[in-house]
């Protein structure tokens, strides 16, 4: 079974002060595109292929999926959607990429592991 990797788009995009706030949707699309290689190659400790899910919210809603990265647009709280996706991992490993402490605690209750934004952003 492939590891499920759930990426908190708002948190990861916000971890680098590169002007993302001027174009939140564009920043989410750039992040999505950079995740494609991890779907095939894997991440440290998580060999590929991986199932990568990018959860977007707010102004980034509507970003389309691409081969290798499924995009989930949260209708409400992005954190709530991330917890739902992680809980749906069933019996396979799940890694949630976020620096949000409260979210880390919540997804930890589902059995997911957590890693910080630098896992997917150099």
């Amino acid at each position: 079974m492939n590891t499920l990797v759930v990426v908190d788009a708002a948190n990861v995009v916000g971890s680098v002060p590169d002007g993302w706030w001027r174009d939140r949707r564009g920043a989410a699309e750039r992040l999505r595109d950079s995740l494609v290689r991890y779907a095939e190659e894997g991440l440290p400790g998580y060999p590929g292929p991986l199932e990568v899910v990018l959860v977007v919210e707010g102004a980034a809603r509507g970003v389309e999926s691409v081969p290798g990265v499924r995009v989930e647009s949260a209708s409400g709280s992005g954190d709530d959607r991330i917890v739902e996706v992680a809980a749906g991992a069933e019996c396979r490993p799940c890694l949630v990429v976020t620096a949000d402490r409260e979210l880390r605690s919540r997804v930890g209750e589902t059995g997911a592991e957590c890693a910080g934004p630098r896992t997917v952003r150099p």
Side-chain angles (χ1 to χ4, degrees):
M1 277 193 194
N2 296 353
T3 298
L4 173 64
V5 177
V6 186
V7 179
D8 179 353
N11 188 268
V12 173
V13 164
S15 70
V16 178
D18 61 0
W20 59 264
W21 52 89
R22 291 187 293 268
D23 180 12
R24 294 171 192 257
R25 183 182 179 100
E29 289 171 338
R30 288 187 296 279
L31 174 59
R32 174 204 60 200
D33 295 346
S34 73
L35 295 173
V36 171
R37 73 182 189 128
Y38 299 118
E40 296 174 10
E41 299 172 11
L43 291 164
Y46 300 90
L50 304 172
E51 180 183 352
V52 179
V53 178
L54 178 66
V55 177
V56 297
E57 61 186 324
R61 278 189 200 114
V63 168
E64 298 290 329
S65 297
V66 296
V69 179
R70 185 175 90 232
V71 179
E72 293 274 335
S73 291
S75 59
S77 162
D79 289 2
D80 290 348
R81 186 66 190 130
I82 291 165
V83 172
E84 290 171 4
V85 173
E90 299 175 5
C91 296
R92 65 183 165 148
C94 179
L95 175 68
V96 175
V97 179
T98 186
D100 182 313
R101 288 184 187 152
E102 182 180 336
L103 178 58
R104 283 174 169 244
S105 175
R106 290 178 64 195
V107 297
E109 293 172 10
T110 72
E113 295 183 33
C114 294
R118 288 187 182 161
T119 303
V120 297
R121 286 195 89 154

